Amino acid sequence: MEHQVNSLWAQFNGWVPAIMSYASQLVLAIIVLLAGWAIINMVNRGLGQMMAASHIEPTLRGFLLSVVGLFLKALLLISVASMVGIATTSFVAVLGAAGLAVGMALQGSLANFAGGVLILLFRPFKVGDSITSGGSTGTVESIEMFRTVLRGSTNEIIYVPNGNLSNNIVVNTSQEDKRLASVSLLIDYNDDTDKARTLLLALLQSEPLVLNNPAPSVSFLPQPANIQVSLSFWCAPGNVTSLTGKYAEAAIKALKQEGFRLGVSTRAAA
């Protein structure tokens, strides 16, 4: 019996250094975990303040902060696990393989997501702008992480994948503070072009929504059977549609009242 007691005591004395060593590693790992977690939160707050000062979109800012926070915390957990003797090599390999598989399965969605990040980061357009891309035209209602929502001219809602917008030509008609609009119509070869120019310029010069700099202009282009008259003017982007419609009709009425013989084609363009 005494021999067995002595044997157990010897085994216990042999375990004590290992227990003390593991306990010290565990305590150190807990300290590193708590300190690292606090430091990551401080880094995230600092990054958030820097992004806010740089006027990065709130949607993109929140997403980037989440990604950075998750990445740093994952690294911290792996480091702490290795400190207490947990093998992390196989875990990292499995995690990488899973990430690759998910990435391949969600290839199209990831392309749209990357496009959304680029749009929010470089801001080629913003909410309220009128854009055209890939045959879709409308006013930007919202910019989401995977798609952009447009409202068309007849109040239809258009959902455009962000991957398409980031990889194709986008025409932003609202970015500049003025746009060139024009109205074209046809007059007879025997009509007085100088009189037509004076008459049409007088129409525009009385319109407060038409800009004087650059000044409106009237040009003439001979056609096989008629002369094409183009009335061009600058205005704010939001007034293009209303003014081209207004002066397409006003030009026809004014020329007819003066006896001009108009052709059958009238066109308003912006």
Side-chain angles (χ1 to χ4, degrees), residues 140-193:
V140 179
E141 290 285 303
S142 64
I143 304 172
E144 302 173 0
M145 292 309 301
F146 292 94
R147 66 185 184 182
T148 294
V149 182
L150 306 180
R151 185 177 297 275
S153 58
T154 57
N155 208 36
E156 73 274 20
I157 299 297
I158 306 168
Y159 299 96
V160 185
N162 285 333
N164 294 351
L165 290 174
S166 63
N167 292 318
N168 291 322
I169 294 174
V170 176
V171 179
N172 187 338
T173 57
S174 301
Q175 195 164 2
E176 297 296 330
D177 59 354
K178 59 179 179 287
R179 284 185 60 200
L180 179 65
S182 65
V183 174
S184 296
L185 45 86
L186 300 176
I187 62 175
D188 192 82
Y189 266 99
N190 294 320
D191 287 328
D192 188 342
T193 55

Short mmCIF file of all heavy atoms in Angstrom, two decimals, residues 140-193:
data_model
loop_
_atom_site.label_atom_id
_atom_site.label_comp_id
_atom_site.label_asym_id
_atom_site.label_seq_id
_atom_site.Cartn_x
_atom_site.Cartn_y
_atom_site.Cartn_z
N VAL A 140 -31.18 56.95 -60.27
CA VAL A 140 -30.69 56.03 -59.25
C VAL A 140 -31.51 56.20 -57.97
O VAL A 140 -31.53 57.27 -57.37
CB VAL A 140 -29.19 56.27 -58.95
CG1 VAL A 140 -28.71 55.32 -57.87
CG2 VAL A 140 -28.37 56.10 -60.22
N GLU A 141 -32.19 55.12 -57.58
CA GLU A 141 -32.98 55.12 -56.34
C GLU A 141 -32.14 54.67 -55.15
O GLU A 141 -32.26 55.22 -54.06
CB GLU A 141 -34.18 54.18 -56.50
CG GLU A 141 -35.25 54.69 -57.46
CD GLU A 141 -36.07 55.81 -56.86
OE1 GLU A 141 -36.67 55.61 -55.79
OE2 GLU A 141 -36.08 56.90 -57.46
N SER A 142 -31.33 53.65 -55.34
CA SER A 142 -30.48 53.16 -54.25
C SER A 142 -29.33 52.36 -54.84
O SER A 142 -29.44 51.80 -55.93
CB SER A 142 -31.27 52.28 -53.27
OG SER A 142 -31.75 51.12 -53.91
N ILE A 143 -28.21 52.34 -54.11
CA ILE A 143 -27.03 51.56 -54.48
C ILE A 143 -26.82 50.51 -53.40
O ILE A 143 -26.45 50.85 -52.27
CB ILE A 143 -25.78 52.45 -54.64
CG1 ILE A 143 -26.05 53.57 -55.65
CG2 ILE A 143 -24.58 51.62 -55.08
CD1 ILE A 143 -24.95 54.61 -55.71
N GLU A 144 -27.07 49.25 -53.72
CA GLU A 144 -26.92 48.17 -52.77
C GLU A 144 -25.61 47.44 -53.04
O GLU A 144 -24.91 47.72 -54.00
CB GLU A 144 -28.12 47.23 -52.87
CG GLU A 144 -29.45 47.96 -52.62
CD GLU A 144 -30.65 47.08 -52.89
OE1 GLU A 144 -30.48 45.90 -53.27
OE2 GLU A 144 -31.79 47.58 -52.73
N MET A 145 -25.28 46.46 -52.21
CA MET A 145 -24.01 45.77 -52.35
C MET A 145 -23.96 44.89 -53.59
O MET A 145 -22.89 44.67 -54.15
CB MET A 145 -23.72 44.92 -51.11
CG MET A 145 -23.45 45.73 -49.85
SD MET A 145 -22.20 47.03 -50.03
CE MET A 145 -20.77 46.10 -50.52
N PHE A 146 -25.10 44.38 -54.06
CA PHE A 146 -25.11 43.48 -55.20
C PHE A 146 -25.81 44.07 -56.43
O PHE A 146 -25.63 43.56 -57.52
CB PHE A 146 -25.79 42.15 -54.83
CG PHE A 146 -25.02 41.33 -53.84
CD1 PHE A 146 -25.29 41.43 -52.49
CD2 PHE A 146 -23.99 40.50 -54.25
CE1 PHE A 146 -24.57 40.68 -51.56
CE2 PHE A 146 -23.27 39.75 -53.34
CZ PHE A 146 -23.56 39.85 -51.99
N ARG A 147 -26.61 45.11 -56.26
CA ARG A 147 -27.36 45.67 -57.39
C ARG A 147 -27.62 47.15 -57.16
O ARG A 147 -27.53 47.64 -56.03
CB ARG A 147 -28.68 44.91 -57.56
CG ARG A 147 -29.64 45.12 -56.38
CD ARG A 147 -30.87 44.29 -56.50
NE ARG A 147 -31.81 44.59 -55.41
CZ ARG A 147 -32.97 43.98 -55.23
NH1 ARG A 147 -33.36 43.02 -56.06
NH2 ARG A 147 -33.78 44.32 -54.22
N THR A 148 -27.94 47.83 -58.25
CA THR A 148 -28.35 49.23 -58.20
C THR A 148 -29.78 49.33 -58.71
O THR A 148 -30.13 48.72 -59.72
CB THR A 148 -27.42 50.10 -59.06
OG1 THR A 148 -26.11 50.10 -58.48
CG2 THR A 148 -27.91 51.53 -59.13
N VAL A 149 -30.60 50.08 -58.00
CA VAL A 149 -32.01 50.20 -58.34
C VAL A 149 -32.24 51.53 -59.06
O VAL A 149 -31.88 52.59 -58.54
CB VAL A 149 -32.90 50.13 -57.08
CG1 VAL A 149 -34.38 50.20 -57.46
CG2 VAL A 149 -32.61 48.83 -56.31
N LEU A 150 -32.82 51.45 -60.27
CA LEU A 150 -33.13 52.64 -61.07
C LEU A 150 -34.65 52.79 -61.19
O LEU A 150 -35.39 51.81 -61.19
CB LEU A 150 -32.53 52.54 -62.47
CG LEU A 150 -31.03 52.25 -62.61
CD1 LEU A 150 -30.65 52.18 -64.08
CD2 LEU A 150 -30.21 53.29 -61.90
N ARG A 151 -35.09 54.03 -61.33
CA ARG A 151 -36.49 54.32 -61.64
C ARG A 151 -36.54 54.90 -63.05
O ARG A 151 -35.95 55.94 -63.32
CB ARG A 151 -37.10 55.29 -60.64
CG ARG A 151 -38.61 55.52 -60.85
CD ARG A 151 -39.18 56.45 -59.78
NE ARG A 151 -39.07 55.85 -58.46
CZ ARG A 151 -39.97 54.99 -57.96
NH1 ARG A 151 -41.03 54.63 -58.68
NH2 ARG A 151 -39.80 54.51 -56.74
N GLY A 152 -37.25 54.21 -63.95
CA GLY A 152 -37.31 54.62 -65.34
C GLY A 152 -38.23 55.80 -65.57
O GLY A 152 -38.92 56.28 -64.66
N SER A 153 -38.26 56.28 -66.81
CA SER A 153 -39.04 57.48 -67.16
C SER A 153 -40.54 57.26 -67.04
O SER A 153 -41.30 58.21 -66.87
CB SER A 153 -38.70 57.92 -68.59
OG SER A 153 -38.97 56.87 -69.51
N THR A 154 -41.00 56.00 -67.14
CA THR A 154 -42.42 55.70 -66.99
C THR A 154 -42.71 55.08 -65.62
O THR A 154 -43.68 54.34 -65.46
CB THR A 154 -42.90 54.76 -68.11
OG1 THR A 154 -42.11 53.56 -68.10
CG2 THR A 154 -42.77 55.42 -69.47
N ASN A 155 -41.83 55.36 -64.65
CA ASN A 155 -41.99 54.94 -63.25
C ASN A 155 -41.76 53.46 -63.03
O ASN A 155 -42.14 52.92 -61.98
CB ASN A 155 -43.37 55.34 -62.70
CG ASN A 155 -43.33 55.55 -61.19
OD1 ASN A 155 -42.34 56.04 -60.66
ND2 ASN A 155 -44.39 55.15 -60.51
N GLU A 156 -41.13 52.77 -63.99
CA GLU A 156 -40.79 51.37 -63.78
C GLU A 156 -39.51 51.27 -62.95
O GLU A 156 -38.66 52.16 -62.99
CB GLU A 156 -40.62 50.63 -65.11
CG GLU A 156 -39.36 50.96 -65.89
CD GLU A 156 -39.51 52.18 -66.77
OE1 GLU A 156 -40.43 52.98 -66.52
OE2 GLU A 156 -38.69 52.35 -67.71
N ILE A 157 -39.38 50.19 -62.18
CA ILE A 157 -38.21 49.95 -61.36
C ILE A 157 -37.29 48.98 -62.10
O ILE A 157 -37.72 47.92 -62.56
CB ILE A 157 -38.58 49.36 -59.98
CG1 ILE A 157 -39.48 50.35 -59.22
CG2 ILE A 157 -37.33 49.06 -59.18
CD1 ILE A 157 -38.82 51.67 -58.92
N ILE A 158 -36.02 49.37 -62.23
CA ILE A 158 -35.03 48.57 -62.97
C ILE A 158 -33.94 48.15 -61.99
O ILE A 158 -33.34 48.98 -61.32
CB ILE A 158 -34.41 49.38 -64.12
CG1 ILE A 158 -35.51 49.95 -65.03
CG2 ILE A 158 -33.44 48.53 -64.93
CD1 ILE A 158 -35.00 50.98 -66.02
N TYR A 159 -33.69 46.84 -61.91
CA TYR A 159 -32.63 46.30 -61.05
C TYR A 159 -31.44 45.93 -61.93
O TYR A 159 -31.55 45.04 -62.78
CB TYR A 159 -33.13 45.08 -60.28
CG TYR A 159 -34.30 45.38 -59.37
CD1 TYR A 159 -35.61 45.15 -59.79
CD2 TYR A 159 -34.10 45.89 -58.09
CE1 TYR A 159 -36.69 45.42 -58.96
CE2 TYR A 159 -35.17 46.17 -57.26
CZ TYR A 159 -36.46 45.93 -57.69
OH TYR A 159 -37.53 46.20 -56.87
N VAL A 160 -30.32 46.60 -61.74
CA VAL A 160 -29.14 46.38 -62.56
C VAL A 160 -28.04 45.78 -61.69
O VAL A 160 -27.66 46.37 -60.67
CB VAL A 160 -28.63 47.70 -63.19
CG1 VAL A 160 -27.47 47.43 -64.12
CG2 VAL A 160 -29.76 48.41 -63.92
N PRO A 161 -27.49 44.61 -62.05
CA PRO A 161 -26.39 44.02 -61.27
C PRO A 161 -25.18 44.96 -61.27
O PRO A 161 -24.83 45.54 -62.29
CB PRO A 161 -26.08 42.71 -62.01
CG PRO A 161 -27.33 42.40 -62.78
CD PRO A 161 -27.91 43.73 -63.16
N ASN A 162 -24.56 45.09 -60.12
CA ASN A 162 -23.42 45.99 -60.00
C ASN A 162 -22.23 45.55 -60.84
O ASN A 162 -21.41 46.37 -61.24
CB ASN A 162 -22.99 46.12 -58.54
CG ASN A 162 -23.95 46.98 -57.74
OD1 ASN A 162 -24.62 47.85 -58.29
ND2 ASN A 162 -24.03 46.73 -56.45
N GLY A 163 -22.12 44.22 -61.10
CA GLY A 163 -21.03 43.75 -61.96
C GLY A 163 -21.14 44.33 -63.36
O GLY A 163 -20.13 44.68 -63.98
N ASN A 164 -22.38 44.45 -63.86
CA ASN A 164 -22.58 45.05 -65.19
C ASN A 164 -22.20 46.52 -65.19
O ASN A 164 -21.58 47.03 -66.14
CB ASN A 164 -24.05 44.89 -65.62
CG ASN A 164 -24.43 43.44 -65.83
OD1 ASN A 164 -23.58 42.56 -65.83
ND2 ASN A 164 -25.70 43.18 -66.00
N LEU A 165 -22.58 47.24 -64.14
CA LEU A 165 -22.30 48.67 -64.09
C LEU A 165 -20.81 48.96 -63.95
O LEU A 165 -20.31 49.94 -64.51
CB LEU A 165 -23.05 49.30 -62.91
CG LEU A 165 -24.57 49.37 -63.05
CD1 LEU A 165 -25.20 49.88 -61.75
CD2 LEU A 165 -24.99 50.27 -64.21
N SER A 166 -20.09 48.11 -63.22
CA SER A 166 -18.66 48.37 -63.01
C SER A 166 -17.81 47.96 -64.21
O SER A 166 -16.67 48.42 -64.35
CB SER A 166 -18.16 47.63 -61.76
OG SER A 166 -18.28 46.23 -61.93
N ASN A 167 -18.35 47.11 -65.11
CA ASN A 167 -17.58 46.62 -66.25
C ASN A 167 -18.03 47.21 -67.58
O ASN A 167 -17.42 46.90 -68.61
CB ASN A 167 -17.66 45.09 -66.32
CG ASN A 167 -16.93 44.43 -65.17
OD1 ASN A 167 -15.86 44.83 -64.78
ND2 ASN A 167 -17.55 43.40 -64.59
N ASN A 168 -19.10 48.00 -67.59
CA ASN A 168 -19.61 48.57 -68.83
C ASN A 168 -19.55 50.10 -68.78
O ASN A 168 -19.31 50.69 -67.72
CB ASN A 168 -21.06 48.12 -69.07
CG ASN A 168 -21.15 46.64 -69.41
OD1 ASN A 168 -20.30 46.11 -70.11
ND2 ASN A 168 -22.16 45.97 -68.89
N ILE A 169 -19.82 50.70 -69.93
CA ILE A 169 -19.87 52.16 -70.01
C ILE A 169 -21.11 52.66 -69.27
O ILE A 169 -22.21 52.15 -69.44
CB ILE A 169 -19.91 52.62 -71.47
CG1 ILE A 169 -18.60 52.25 -72.18
CG2 ILE A 169 -20.16 54.12 -71.57
CD1 ILE A 169 -18.61 52.52 -73.67
N VAL A 170 -20.92 53.66 -68.41
CA VAL A 170 -22.02 54.31 -67.70
C VAL A 170 -22.03 55.78 -68.08
O VAL A 170 -21.02 56.47 -67.93
CB VAL A 170 -21.87 54.16 -66.17
CG1 VAL A 170 -22.98 54.92 -65.45
CG2 VAL A 170 -21.89 52.69 -65.77
N VAL A 171 -23.17 56.25 -68.59
CA VAL A 171 -23.32 57.66 -68.93
C VAL A 171 -24.10 58.33 -67.81
O VAL A 171 -25.26 58.01 -67.56
CB VAL A 171 -24.07 57.83 -70.27
CG1 VAL A 171 -24.23 59.32 -70.59
CG2 VAL A 171 -23.32 57.12 -71.39
N ASN A 172 -23.45 59.25 -67.11
CA ASN A 172 -24.07 59.99 -66.02
C ASN A 172 -24.47 61.37 -66.54
O ASN A 172 -23.62 62.21 -66.80
CB ASN A 172 -23.11 60.11 -64.84
CG ASN A 172 -23.77 60.71 -63.61
OD1 ASN A 172 -24.79 61.39 -63.71
ND2 ASN A 172 -23.20 60.46 -62.46
N THR A 173 -25.78 61.59 -66.70
CA THR A 173 -26.26 62.86 -67.26
C THR A 173 -26.52 63.90 -66.18
O THR A 173 -27.01 64.99 -66.49
CB THR A 173 -27.54 62.62 -68.08
OG1 THR A 173 -28.53 61.99 -67.25
CG2 THR A 173 -27.26 61.73 -69.27
N SER A 174 -26.24 63.57 -64.93
CA SER A 174 -26.50 64.51 -63.83
C SER A 174 -25.23 65.04 -63.18
O SER A 174 -25.31 65.91 -62.32
CB SER A 174 -27.36 63.82 -62.75
OG SER A 174 -28.59 63.38 -63.28
N GLN A 175 -24.08 64.53 -63.57
CA GLN A 175 -22.85 64.88 -62.87
C GLN A 175 -22.43 66.32 -63.10
O GLN A 175 -21.95 66.99 -62.20
CB GLN A 175 -21.73 63.92 -63.28
CG GLN A 175 -20.52 63.96 -62.38
CD GLN A 175 -19.62 62.76 -62.57
OE1 GLN A 175 -19.87 61.91 -63.40
NE2 GLN A 175 -18.57 62.69 -61.79
N GLU A 176 -22.61 66.82 -64.33
CA GLU A 176 -22.27 68.21 -64.64
C GLU A 176 -23.46 69.12 -64.34
O GLU A 176 -24.60 68.69 -64.30
CB GLU A 176 -21.87 68.34 -66.11
CG GLU A 176 -20.62 67.56 -66.48
CD GLU A 176 -19.38 68.07 -65.77
OE1 GLU A 176 -19.33 69.29 -65.47
OE2 GLU A 176 -18.46 67.27 -65.51
N ASP A 177 -23.17 70.41 -64.15
CA ASP A 177 -24.24 71.34 -63.76
C ASP A 177 -25.01 71.89 -64.95
O ASP A 177 -25.99 72.62 -64.76
CB ASP A 177 -23.65 72.50 -62.95
CG ASP A 177 -22.60 73.28 -63.73
OD1 ASP A 177 -22.23 72.85 -64.85
OD2 ASP A 177 -22.12 74.31 -63.22
N LYS A 178 -24.60 71.55 -66.18
CA LYS A 178 -25.37 71.97 -67.35
C LYS A 178 -25.23 70.95 -68.46
O LYS A 178 -24.24 70.22 -68.54
CB LYS A 178 -24.92 73.35 -67.85
CG LYS A 178 -23.46 73.46 -68.25
CD LYS A 178 -23.15 74.87 -68.74
CE LYS A 178 -21.69 75.04 -69.14
NZ LYS A 178 -20.80 75.08 -67.98
N ARG A 179 -26.25 70.91 -69.35
CA ARG A 179 -26.25 69.98 -70.47
C ARG A 179 -26.71 70.70 -71.74
O ARG A 179 -27.48 71.67 -71.68
CB ARG A 179 -27.20 68.80 -70.21
CG ARG A 179 -26.65 67.77 -69.24
CD ARG A 179 -27.59 66.60 -69.14
NE ARG A 179 -27.77 65.96 -70.43
CZ ARG A 179 -28.80 65.18 -70.73
NH1 ARG A 179 -29.75 64.95 -69.86
NH2 ARG A 179 -28.89 64.63 -71.93
N LEU A 180 -26.24 70.17 -72.86
CA LEU A 180 -26.64 70.72 -74.16
C LEU A 180 -27.86 69.97 -74.66
O LEU A 180 -27.87 68.74 -74.74
CB LEU A 180 -25.49 70.59 -75.15
CG LEU A 180 -25.76 71.09 -76.57
CD1 LEU A 180 -26.00 72.60 -76.58
CD2 LEU A 180 -24.60 70.73 -77.50
N ALA A 181 -28.91 70.71 -75.02
CA ALA A 181 -30.13 70.13 -75.58
C ALA A 181 -30.36 70.75 -76.96
O ALA A 181 -29.85 71.84 -77.27
CB ALA A 181 -31.32 70.40 -74.67
N SER A 182 -31.11 70.08 -77.80
CA SER A 182 -31.35 70.61 -79.13
C SER A 182 -32.73 70.18 -79.64
O SER A 182 -33.27 69.15 -79.24
CB SER A 182 -30.27 70.14 -80.11
OG SER A 182 -30.33 68.74 -80.28
N VAL A 183 -33.26 71.02 -80.53
CA VAL A 183 -34.52 70.74 -81.22
C VAL A 183 -34.24 70.89 -82.72
O VAL A 183 -33.65 71.89 -83.14
CB VAL A 183 -35.63 71.72 -80.79
CG1 VAL A 183 -36.88 71.52 -81.63
CG2 VAL A 183 -35.94 71.54 -79.30
N SER A 184 -34.63 69.91 -83.51
CA SER A 184 -34.40 69.96 -84.96
C SER A 184 -35.73 69.88 -85.70
O SER A 184 -36.62 69.12 -85.31
CB SER A 184 -33.49 68.80 -85.40
OG SER A 184 -32.21 68.93 -84.81
N LEU A 185 -35.84 70.67 -86.78
CA LEU A 185 -37.02 70.62 -87.64
C LEU A 185 -36.61 70.96 -89.07
O LEU A 185 -35.46 71.33 -89.31
CB LEU A 185 -38.12 71.55 -87.12
CG LEU A 185 -37.72 72.96 -86.68
CD1 LEU A 185 -37.71 73.89 -87.87
CD2 LEU A 185 -38.65 73.47 -85.60
N LEU A 186 -37.53 70.83 -89.99
CA LEU A 186 -37.24 71.04 -91.42
C LEU A 186 -38.02 72.23 -91.96
O LEU A 186 -39.21 72.39 -91.65
CB LEU A 186 -37.59 69.78 -92.22
CG LEU A 186 -36.84 68.50 -91.84
CD1 LEU A 186 -37.39 67.33 -92.65
CD2 LEU A 186 -35.35 68.65 -92.06
N ILE A 187 -37.34 73.06 -92.75
CA ILE A 187 -38.01 74.16 -93.45
C ILE A 187 -37.72 74.03 -94.96
O ILE A 187 -36.85 73.26 -95.38
CB ILE A 187 -37.55 75.54 -92.94
CG1 ILE A 187 -36.04 75.73 -93.18
CG2 ILE A 187 -37.90 75.71 -91.47
CD1 ILE A 187 -35.54 77.13 -92.81
N ASP A 188 -38.45 74.78 -95.74
CA ASP A 188 -38.31 74.73 -97.19
C ASP A 188 -37.06 75.50 -97.64
O ASP A 188 -36.61 76.42 -96.97
CB ASP A 188 -39.56 75.32 -97.84
CG ASP A 188 -39.62 75.03 -99.32
OD1 ASP A 188 -40.05 73.93 -99.70
OD2 ASP A 188 -39.21 75.91 -100.11
N TYR A 189 -36.53 75.11 -98.81
CA TYR A 189 -35.35 75.78 -99.35
C TYR A 189 -35.62 77.26 -99.67
O TYR A 189 -34.71 78.08 -99.68
CB TYR A 189 -34.87 75.07 -100.61
CG TYR A 189 -33.78 74.05 -100.33
CD1 TYR A 189 -34.09 72.70 -100.24
CD2 TYR A 189 -32.46 74.44 -100.15
CE1 TYR A 189 -33.11 71.75 -99.98
CE2 TYR A 189 -31.47 73.51 -99.90
CZ TYR A 189 -31.79 72.17 -99.80
OH TYR A 189 -30.82 71.24 -99.53
N ASN A 190 -36.88 77.61 -99.93
CA ASN A 190 -37.22 79.00 -100.27
C ASN A 190 -37.45 79.87 -99.04
O ASN A 190 -37.64 81.08 -99.17
CB ASN A 190 -38.47 79.03 -101.15
CG ASN A 190 -38.22 78.39 -102.51
OD1 ASN A 190 -37.16 78.58 -103.11
ND2 ASN A 190 -39.20 77.61 -102.99
N ASP A 191 -37.43 79.27 -97.83
CA ASP A 191 -37.64 80.05 -96.62
C ASP A 191 -36.39 80.85 -96.27
O ASP A 191 -35.27 80.50 -96.65
CB ASP A 191 -38.01 79.14 -95.45
CG ASP A 191 -39.42 78.59 -95.58
OD1 ASP A 191 -40.29 79.29 -96.14
OD2 ASP A 191 -39.67 77.46 -95.10
N ASP A 192 -36.60 81.93 -95.52
CA ASP A 192 -35.52 82.84 -95.14
C ASP A 192 -34.82 82.30 -93.89
O ASP A 192 -35.37 82.33 -92.79
CB ASP A 192 -36.11 84.22 -94.87
CG ASP A 192 -35.03 85.28 -94.66
OD1 ASP A 192 -33.87 84.90 -94.38
OD2 ASP A 192 -35.35 86.48 -94.76
N THR A 193 -33.58 81.84 -94.05
CA THR A 193 -32.87 81.25 -92.91
C THR A 193 -32.47 82.31 -91.88
O THR A 193 -32.47 82.03 -90.67
CB THR A 193 -31.61 80.52 -93.40
OG1 THR A 193 -30.80 81.41 -94.18
CG2 THR A 193 -31.99 79.31 -94.26
#
